Amino acid sequence: MRQPVLTVTDRGIYCPAGDFFIDPWRPVDRALITHGHSDHARPGHARYLSTPAAAPVIRHRLGDIRIATQLYGEQSKIGDATVSFHPAGHVPGSAQIRVEVAGEVWVVSGDYKTTPDGLSEPFEPVRAHAFVTECTFGLPVFTWRPQFEVMADVNAWWRANAAEGRASVLGAYALGKAQRLLANVDASIGPILTHGAVEAVNAVLRAQGLALPPTIRVTPDLDAHDYPGALVLATPSALGSPWMRRFGPASTAFASGWMALRGIRRRRAADRGFVLSDHADWPGLNAAIRETGAETILVTHGYTSVFRRWLAEQGFDARIVETEFEGEAIDASEPEPEPTTP
Ligand SMILES: [Zn+2]
Ligand SMILES: [Zn+2]
């Protein structure tokens, strides 16, 4: 019997014909990486391959690694497999990975979202026989409003706080979400301060030519009174931590797809929740899957059992793949911060 194009081992998604892994979670010799989030780009591999736009962040996070790059759409041969990267629209540089062996095409989505965010290379559907898809938000309740509407809400919240001289502290994932907010917020409202972890990623992305408005890094000697009405981009874990005290009685908010769930919104130490995700919503997942033309769908990363059943009902050969990807894990399962004591 012929080997499948991709299979799952205890180290990750493996291609026997090319002897490589995609986003492996244990150290391997050759790792193809979809994007720089920590559940996909892990340390310890002998060789890495990513898009040139994803490589700087991966290097920033993992240090001195051996990484080669391959442009979107370019094909390379690894063993008996032909490999290419295609925009996933998730964060800058993020890719779906297409693997072709003897005329059979499999695509691994990595994390993706189907609507443009004004910063990441927009998602491109890729035809495939089999599609390995994430389904972080694979329930009908997750249906995103257009980005411009959410950003209008963010701007209105910031503007109202600024008018009263209050800081607006917005928690967001340091790679991707924070820069997406930066790229789309109305920077004329006031100064923008950033947590060090956010600013470090800003620096990497600016160095590769991405346009972000000016930001000021929050250092221990920064006096928040010098920046009345500022927007403060914080990491999720800084929100509600002692780091916040310097901003006085600030208004707090959190931007995540999980904010669509009232229970999670309530547990967050934030006054406001903005529903903004870098993952596809329910309609996005379904549209992306249809556009691949694939009959076999392997689901991972989220509401896998519900989503698999739904796809099977739609006539797909749908299976669950057990992976160690974590979705917007930092949003979902990170220990909840202590409530702010103003
Ligand atoms: Zn990701
Ligand atoms: Zn992920």
Side-chain angles (χ1 to χ4, degrees), residues 24 48 96 133 160 206 217 224 234 239 246 266 316 323 326:
Y48 293 76
Q96 311 170 71
T133 180
R206 282 190 182 113
R217 180 171 179 231
L239 203 68
R246 71 193 78 209
R266 223 184 299 115
F316 291 101
T323 61
E326 289 160 358

Side-chain angles (χ1 to χ4, degrees), residues 35 37 40 90 111:
H35 66 291
H37 280 150
H40 296 261
H90 173 57
D111 294 343

Side-chain angles (χ1 to χ4, degrees), residues 1-85:
M1 198 183 90
R2 205 170 70 176
Q3 295 233 61
V5 173
L6 299 174
T7 151
V8 179
T9 77
D10 57 347
R11 288 184 288 172
I13 298 172
Y14 179 63
C15 174
D19 191 22
F20 62 81
F21 290 81
I22 296 175
D23 293 351
W25 44 85
R26 306 262 183 285
V28 301
D29 178 51
R30 195 195 280 260
L32 276 55
I33 305 293
T34 59
H35 66 291
H37 280 150
S38 57
D39 56 326
H40 296 261
R42 300 194 189 226
H45 309 312
R47 286 178 291 173
Y48 293 76
L49 180 65
S50 75
T51 68
V57 155
I58 296 172
R59 219 181 261 120
H60 160 74
R61 289 203 37 256
L62 300 183
D64 190 22
I65 54 167
R66 187 173 158 203
I67 185 163
T69 62
Q70 187 172 322
L71 289 165
Y72 287 127
E74 208 172 78
Q75 291 197 329
S76 73
K77 198 88 182 156
I78 304 178
D80 291 326
T82 304
V83 166
S84 53
F85 292 72

Side-chain angles (χ1 to χ4, degrees), residues 2-342:
R2 205 170 70 176
Q3 295 233 61
V5 173
L6 299 174
T7 151
V8 179
T9 77
D10 57 347
R11 288 184 288 172
I13 298 172
Y14 179 63
C15 174
D19 191 22
F20 62 81
F21 290 81
I22 296 175
D23 293 351
W25 44 85
R26 306 262 183 285
V28 301
D29 178 51
R30 195 195 280 260
L32 276 55
I33 305 293
T34 59
H35 66 291
H37 280 150
S38 57
D39 56 326
H40 296 261
R42 300 194 189 226
H45 309 312
R47 286 178 291 173
Y48 293 76
L49 180 65
S50 75
T51 68
V57 155
I58 296 172
R59 219 181 261 120
H60 160 74
R61 289 203 37 256
L62 300 183
D64 190 22
I65 54 167
R66 187 173 158 203
I67 185 163
T69 62
Q70 187 172 322
L71 289 165
Y72 287 127
E74 208 172 78
Q75 291 197 329
S76 73
K77 198 88 182 156
I78 304 178
D80 291 326
T82 304
V83 166
S84 53
F85 292 72
H86 304 269
H90 173 57
V91 296
S94 67
Q96 311 170 71
I97 296 180
R98 179 187 186 276
V99 182
E100 180 173 349
V101 177
E104 188 176 335
V105 177
W106 286 46
V107 170
V108 175
S109 74
D111 294 343
Y112 67 99
K113 72 169 175 293
T114 51
T115 50
D117 63 13
L119 190 69
S120 312
E121 304 81 356
F123 177 87
E124 283 177 17
V126 183
R127 303 288 294 180
H129 297 101
F131 185 46
V132 182
T133 180
E134 65 130 321
C135 59
T136 307
F137 292 109
L139 293 179
V141 65
F142 297 111
T143 300
W144 313 141
R145 290 162 63 216
Q147 174 173 283
F148 75 90
E149 285 186 22
V150 179
M151 290 312 302
D153 288 352
V154 173
N155 287 331
W157 166 73
W158 180 16
R159 205 175 280 116
N161 292 329
E164 295 173 16
R166 221 181 7 233
S168 303
V169 183
L170 179 52
Y173 197 68
L175 165 56
K177 186 72 58 64
Q179 292 75 30
R180 177 182 178 189
L181 288 162
L182 265 177
N184 291 288
V185 85
D186 179 0
S188 73
I189 296 172
I192 303 175
L193 307 181
T194 51
H195 186 279
V198 171
E199 194 55 34
V201 176
N202 290 352
V204 172
L205 296 183
R206 282 190 182 113
Q208 59 193 87
L210 275 99
L212 299 174
T215 49
I216 300 148
R217 180 171 179 231
V218 176
T219 51
D221 58 329
L222 178 132
D223 186 348
H225 295 100
D226 294 340
Y227 306 97
L231 175 67
V232 184
L233 281 176
T235 58
S237 55
L239 203 68
S241 78
W243 183 85
M244 296 262 307
R245 287 198 193 121
R246 71 193 78 209
F247 304 111
S251 180
T252 56
F254 195 73
S256 164
W258 295 111
M259 293 297 105
L261 298 180
R262 206 183 302 127
I264 290 185
R265 202 161 60 221
R266 223 184 299 115
R267 284 206 305 277
R268 275 283 164 192
D271 307 326
R272 284 287 297 267
F274 297 111
V275 182
L276 191 72
S277 177
D278 291 328
H279 294 264
D281 63 358
W282 172 261
L285 289 169
N286 282 285
I289 286 165
R290 293 206 180 281
E291 282 181 296
T292 64
E295 284 173 14
T296 302
I297 309 295
L298 299 101
V299 299
T300 171
H301 213 293
Y303 293 96
T304 46
S305 54
V306 181
F307 198 60
R308 188 212 67 80
R309 201 178 321 126
W310 158 257
L311 290 174
E313 285 165 15
Q314 309 307 305
F316 291 101
D317 168 19
R319 307 169 208 166
I320 294 173
V321 200
E322 295 299 341
T323 61
E324 294 185 18
F325 306 135
E326 289 160 358
E328 286 193 351
I330 194 149
D331 295 358
S333 57
E334 190 186 46
E336 295 299 324
E338 294 300 313
T340 316
T341 38

